[in-house]
Structure formats: structure tokens, C-alpha cells
Amino acid sequence: MAKALLKFHLHVEPTISQYQIFPAKIQSSRKTQNQEPRTKHHISRSSTTSVNRRKFKRIDDSVSPIKKLVSYVDSGCLEAALQLFETMNKSSTFVWNVIIRGLVDSQLFEEAIEFYCKMRFEGIKADNFTFPFLIKACAGVFGLKEGQRVHSIIIKLGLDVDIYICNALIAMYGKVGCIEDSEKIFEFMPVRDLVSWNSMISAYVSAGDGWSSLMCFKEMRKFGAECDRFSYIGALGACAVDRCLLSGKEIFCQVLRHGLEVDSMIQSSIIDMLGKCGEVDYAERFCNGISQKNVVVWNAMIGVFSLNDKSLKSIGCLERMQHDDNVIPDAITLINVLPSCSKLGALKPGKAIHGYAIRKGYSRHLVLETALVDMYGKCGNVKLAEHVFFNTKERNLVSWNAMIAAYMQNSKERKAINMFHCLQLEPCVVPDETTFSTILAAYAEVALPKEGKQIHCLVYKLGISLGTFISNAMIHMYAKCGDLEAARKVFDTMLSKDVVSWNTIIMAYAIHGFGSYCSKLFSSMIKEGNQPNESTFFSLLSACRDIDEGLKYFESMKRDYGLNPGIEHYGCVLDMLGCSGDLDHAKGFIDEMPLTPTPRIWGSLLTASRHHKNIEMAEIAANHIFSLDNDNTGCYILLSNLYAEVGRWDDVENIKRLMTERGCKRTTGCSIVEVSGKTYVFRNNDRSHTETTIIYEVLDMLLRKIGEDLYVYNVSKFKPPDLIQRRANSPMCHSVRLAVCFGLIGTTIGKPVIIRKNIRICEDCHSAVKKISKITNREIVVGDSKIYHRFKNGWCSCGDYW
């Protein structure tokens, strides 16, 4: 067996690098209040150690230093133990084992590993009592490489047949996700005890393989091993992982037969299993039937409510545990309840929990700090999220992911990208699937196709599997960056597609104006057995331009799939009615809606009214928008332009005054184009570019060919006396046109020119780009704040309605 394991670990370095510098003092770390005691199977091997634990309850000056050290560690006085350790003779392996055990028990895993390295540096040999603690420390820091190195040392010393060491290795490999290594160690063990079986069952649960864990549990019983509380806890955890309610109930019955239902850890495992299987009411009844609930049971119930979107009940549990049972919340309690504050957007209770954590000394708990970052981000307070994150002493990947997500949730994509770049500089943190999925969304919003492709390459470089989750993010990124072909390529190469995958590709074609293709995709989705949801129909309705087809899908939602249309679905139908020009029908549709119309609904009617030059209907829509005190600047501008086109200049001035009173500021338009791997930003009348002269020469030439020049444009929007003054702001100088010209100059002939604009493209530029695409025989893609316009041969995919 030793040779087999040695062969399996040939790639592992044989030793751990020795530390030559070690801090003189380590701060003590106290256990969480009311935390369940941890069993230490491997310590019970030494009868002498067990006797010492029972015997030395009180410490006085007559007791030997070694016995004092053991008593300090057993009583949790780690700081006193460390001070005593510095004054002791350190030639005994037993002394080092005791202090390493104390550090591990206090969850100071990195310090325990450092002590082991110092122990080796000073020439003290480790024994079979040292390695179980050391392996547990490696598991605590998720140190796979460190654990493998320790494993190689164990093989060299011939200790790989020690049952206690093997049990620790099984648990360690399972915790770091190397379940195959756990299986190999378990398979080659010459002798197995109950701890071996329990370790393997828990390893499968840690790896997220509930089915294998249950099979191991059943196999253990076939071999005649008597189950204990840890066996049932592991099996219940397996049922929770795989949502196996029936198996969970069977194990619950076995617990009852063995009389273990009064064990608080088993009680919490049962509650957790029922909650993850969706049986919230059953879990609540079981919890209420427990006469004396401790903090572990309450934590489980709070977690169940949070997991099943019963946020108010989760917060109510926090109050009940303190008032009804006088149970003091611990760090895990706060971690479990913070997601409920996030879902409710309850910033005030979240701040109160943060203050409580600081008062109780829990604020340095890494998982709690991460939960606080997540909560503040979802509640819209980025500054407090930053404060918690940047004051965290130790950050792991989950912390970084939470901060990046907080920026994304608050539309701070640039900061999210900068944070991702900072993460890449961290030596011990490697981005994972969650990181890439979040950051790809950031690149999609800021329209940086080059950087998005680099992220795609980085995923391959790091060997991260292109699973469904990250592939969906890539489809979205490519679609929002204007590269529909790349988005479709990712979709076609996916091995497993879920409903989000289909929704994303349907929406990709919808925003690019290919409505007919969206219907084909929807049919393929149904044929492959995927059940559509509300997002599917939103994507479909967004793509529809034919009112009959759109109404067919709208009615199918409720009739065929039992889905209630939301306000966004009504908005899509309204867009279709507006496109068809049937404004009276559109107004009647709004009046008959079962939902209260939002500014988005009235904005759709306003857009349609402006497109069809119906000033009366536009005023009706605008009055509703103004009555809602909405600060949508686009609505004000649409109405102002419509008034200008019909010559109602007094109303134009009134709109401007109203915008000023309500603090509405017109967004400065800009267009982004990527040439030769570099991103360039253009604004109206921009002359800051090094190629400005060439850009304007090409622009002048193109505009003359399409029938425009410096002084010819749609003048109906302006008073005659203002024409000369406004000539500098003519559509000829708009950012879209400048970006298109630069793209035509700098990109290869035949390739599409892709532009991203932060506001809607104006009618003048839309008309001009259509003509430019025809005379240059180039496809030009312009993504504005609403959709992507694909201009080709003088035609636009939007059908001239946006």
C-alpha cells in the first residue's frame, strides 16, 4: 500500500520549506460562545494523555511545566500556554504536539503549520501523534499542496498505515475537494474503524457528492459497523446535499430508534435536511417541538428560513432565540441571518447586526466579514461594503468575489474590473467560476470586447471547466459587446444547456433585432425538454415586432405554462402595439392592465407617440410620467424633441425648466469603438484624437456622398435664429459618426465595425449610418442604451423603430 500511495504522490515535493523567522507571540483566539465541543478521536489513543486531562483541573506552582502546558491547552488558555511554551525545554516531541493541538483546537491553522515547520527546523522529529493535528490544520486552510507534502513525509516515515493518520487524510482530502484521494486512502486501509467510515461519509458530503455518501453509509451498515451520532450527522448532510427527502426520513427513523433525537447536532442536521429539501413547515414544527433549543438548533432554523426566501421569519427567529430562550447569538447566527437582510434590502437591521458583531468580538470572523460585504452591497451601500472589505485582515477568494459582486450590483462596473485586477495580483488567490461569471458581466456592461476575450482565454489558461454557469456569462458578454457570432459559438459548444442558457441566447438575438430567429430558438428549446420561465417570454416578446405573434406568446404564458405576466411583459406588448402605430389600442391596453403602470410603461407609449408624431398621445403619456415624479431624463428629452419638431418652442422651454427644477441632467453622449486591440472613446465634436484630421475628412466625404454636408441636417428641431448658434452641435459631429469613421479607417475591410453608445442613437445618425453601410459595403453594429442596431446594405435590424 505504501508503494501505491508513493507512486500516486510522486509529483509531490517530499518536504515542507522550513521557516527561519517565527513570530515570538501569537494572539489567542477564543472559541465561539455555545459552540458544540469537537471530538478528538486521535487524541484518545494515549491513555496517559487522557489521564492527564482528567487529573489536572487546577494549576498551581507545584505542577510540572508539561502538566501545566497540557492543562492550559485543555482549558482553552492558549495565550498562557504559548507564554509557558517559550520558557520550556522544547526537546520533547510531546511538548510540540500539545501546543500544535492547542492551535488547531483554536482554529489557528496557519500558526499550527508554522509551529510544525519550526519544530522540524529545530531538529525535533514528528511522530504519529503530530500528523493528525497537522493534517487537520492543512484542511482548515484548504491547503492542498501543504497536505500533499505532509502526506509524502508520512509515506517516507512509514506511518501511512496508521489508522488515525489515514482517517485525518481522508477528511482533509475530502474538504479540499480531492475526493479521489480520500477514496484511495480508504480503499487501501488495512483496518478501518468507525471514524474511518464517518470520515469517508463526511468527505463525500464536503465534496458535494451526497449519493456516494449515502452509499458509503449503507455499506458501513452492511459491514456491521455500529452507527454513532457522527454517522447520522454525515448521512443527514448527504440527504441535504442531494435533496433526498425520503432517505432523510429513513435516517430520521433510525435516529429515533437509537434514541439520539435529543442530540442538538443531530437536531440541527435534521432541520437543515428538511429545509434544503423544501419542507420548511415540517422543519419549523420539528424545531418548535424541541423543548430546550441551543444556539446550534436556532442557527439551523434561521438558515432554513434564509435559504427558502422566508426572510422575515429568519429575522424573527433571531429575536425569538434571545427573548424566548435567552440564547446568545454567535457568529454563525449572524452569518445565517445576514442573507435575509440582503434579500429584504434591510440596511438598518444589517447595520445593527454589524454593531452587535463588533461588540461581541465577532467582527474579525472572515465568513462574517464576507457576509457583511455581501449584505451592504445588496442593500446599495457600497461605501460600507468597501469599509468592511478593506479593513479585513485576511481575505480569501469568497471575500474578493463578494466585493466584486457588490460593485456590480450597484452599477460600478469599472470599479469591479479594477478590483478584479487587484485580485489577480494576490499571490495566493486564484479566480474561480464565480469570479469570472461576475467579471464577464462587468465587461459586457462597459463594452470591452478585447478584455472580454482575454478573460475567455484566462479561463482556458487556468484550466477552469467551461460549465453551464460561466458559459452563460460568456454568451451574455459577447452579445452585449456586439459579437453575436462569438456568443452563438459558445452556445453551440455547450455540453449542458439550462433554461438560463436558452434565455441568454434568445435575448442575444432579440437585442440584435433577429426576432424570427428567436422564435426558432424557442421551438428548439421546447423540443429539448426545457421548461420556459418568465425571462424566456420576456426575451421572446422583446424580439417580436408582429403583434399577432407577440400576443400569441403573451397568452401562452398563462395558458400553457402557468406563468403570470409581469410589468416587463406588458411593456413588451405595448412596444409592439406602438410599433404598429395603433396608439389607441396601446392606450386601451394600458388602461386594462391588472398592474399599476410604471414610468417604463408610459415611456413606451411616449416613444411610440413621438415616432408616429402624435402630440396629443405623447402629452398624455408625459403627464403620467411627470405625476410619478420620475427622473427619467430620456422621457423629458423625447417630449422636448417632439415639441421642437412641431414648432412648439414655448413648450420646449417649459420642459427644460421642469428638468432643471427636478434636477434631471442630460447624459453626455459618447461612443466607444475598438481598433487594433485598443478602445477609443468619442464625444460630440470630439477633436482630441490624434487622427482627428483624417476622421473629419472621411466624415465630410461620406456625408457628401449620402447627401449631407456641414450645413445640411434636420433643422426642424430648432428656431431659425438659433440655427447658427447650434450648428456646432449638429448631428454631423455626433460621436456615433466620428466613431464609425474611425472604425472604417482602422479595421480590416470586410470585418464589421462595432460601436457602443451610452444613450439612444438619434434619428439623424441612424439614417446616416444606414446610408454609410450601403455605400461602404460594410456591416456597422451600433449598440445603444436599448438595443443593437445592425446596419447592412442600407437596412437596420431594428426596423427603424427603437
Side-chain angles (χ1 to χ4, degrees), residues 565-581:
I567 196 70
E568 65 277 8
H569 302 99
Y570 284 98
C572 292
V573 174
L574 193 59
D575 285 339
M576 285 183 276
L577 292 170
C579 183
S580 67

Side-chain angles (χ1 to χ4, degrees), residues 188-410:
F188 286 106
M189 287 181 70
V191 179
R192 298 171 189 157
D193 62 2
L194 181 59
V195 179
S196 309
W197 288 99
N198 289 346
S199 298
M200 196 65 233
I201 292 169
S202 298
Y204 280 122
V205 174
S206 299
D209 189 352
W211 185 86
S212 296
S213 181
L214 287 174
M215 293 302 101
C216 188
F217 177 75
K218 292 178 180 178
E219 187 179 356
M220 178 186 75
R221 301 192 69 202
K222 287 181 182 178
F223 274 83
E226 187 68 25
C227 299
D228 64 358
R229 64 195 293 261
F230 297 102
S231 309
Y232 291 119
I233 291 170
L236 288 167
C239 297
V241 168
D242 275 10
R243 310 294 195 266
C244 297
L245 181 60
L246 183 60
S247 298
K249 288 181 177 180
E250 290 176 359
I251 294 169
F252 185 17
C253 293
Q254 296 175 27
V255 168
L256 293 174
R257 284 198 296 270
H258 286 80
L260 295 173
E261 69 277 5
V262 295
D263 186 286
S264 62
M265 292 298 291
I266 289 180
Q267 289 171 341
S268 64
S269 298
I270 291 170
I271 293 171
D272 180 68
M273 180 273 296
L274 292 171
K276 288 180 178 176
C277 290
E279 297 289 335
V280 184
D281 294 336
Y282 197 1
E284 188 175 12
R285 287 199 300 271
F286 178 80
C287 180
N288 291 336
I290 300 174
S291 57
Q292 293 184 339
K293 295 183 278 290
N294 63 9
V295 70
V296 180
V297 173
W298 279 111
N299 288 350
M301 197 63 241
I302 290 172
V304 165
F305 284 134
S306 292
L307 182 66
N308 290 274
D309 294 328
K310 295 186 179 294
S311 303
L312 291 175
K313 283 195 170 185
S314 178
I315 296 173
C317 257
L318 178 63
E319 298 174 354
R320 284 174 54 201
M321 70 182 286
Q322 298 176 82
H323 297 153
D324 297 352
D325 289 356
N326 293 321
V327 175
I328 300 174
D330 62 8
I332 306 301
T333 315
L334 308 185
I335 292 168
N336 286 354
V337 80
L338 279 171
S340 297
C341 298
S342 302
K343 291 173 184 176
L344 294 172
L347 182 60
K348 189 173 180 181
K351 284 183 176 181
I353 290 171
H354 190 180
Y356 178 86
I358 293 172
R359 291 194 301 274
K360 291 293 183 178
Y362 300 151
S363 58
R364 288 302 177 191
H365 193 293
L366 179 58
V367 180
L368 178 57
E369 288 175 321
T370 304
L372 286 167
V373 171
D374 178 73
M375 182 273 296
Y376 282 129
K378 289 177 179 175
C379 289
N381 198 319
V382 181
K383 288 186 177 180
L384 285 177
E386 289 176 331
H387 175 77
V388 176
F389 178 80
F390 289 116
N391 284 282
T392 302
K393 288 187 176 180
E394 295 182 8
R395 305 183 191 115
N396 60 11
L397 181 59
V398 181
S399 310
W400 286 94
N401 288 347
M403 193 64 240
I404 292 171
Y407 283 131
M408 286 300 300
Q409 288 152 3
N410 292 275

Side-chain angles (χ1 to χ4, degrees), residues 98-113:
V98 171
I99 201 67
I100 290 173
R101 171 171 66 86
L103 290 166
V104 171
D105 288 347
S106 297
Q107 299 185 10
L108 294 171
F109 303 120
E110 291 183 3
E111 288 79 1
I113 295 172

Side-chain angles (χ1 to χ4, degrees), residues 11-28:
H11 64 284
V12 181
E13 297 179 25
T15 59
I16 296 179
S17 58
Q18 296 173 338
Y19 286 71
Q20 297 187 7
I21 301 175
F22 187 78
K25 183 178 178 181
I26 301 175
Q27 293 294 330
S28 63

Side-chain angles (χ1 to χ4, degrees), residues 730-745:
S730 70
M732 200 276 311
C733 303
H734 280 184
S735 62
V736 170
R737 303 189 187 203
L738 300 176
V740 166
C741 289
F742 185 64
L744 291 170
I745 296 168

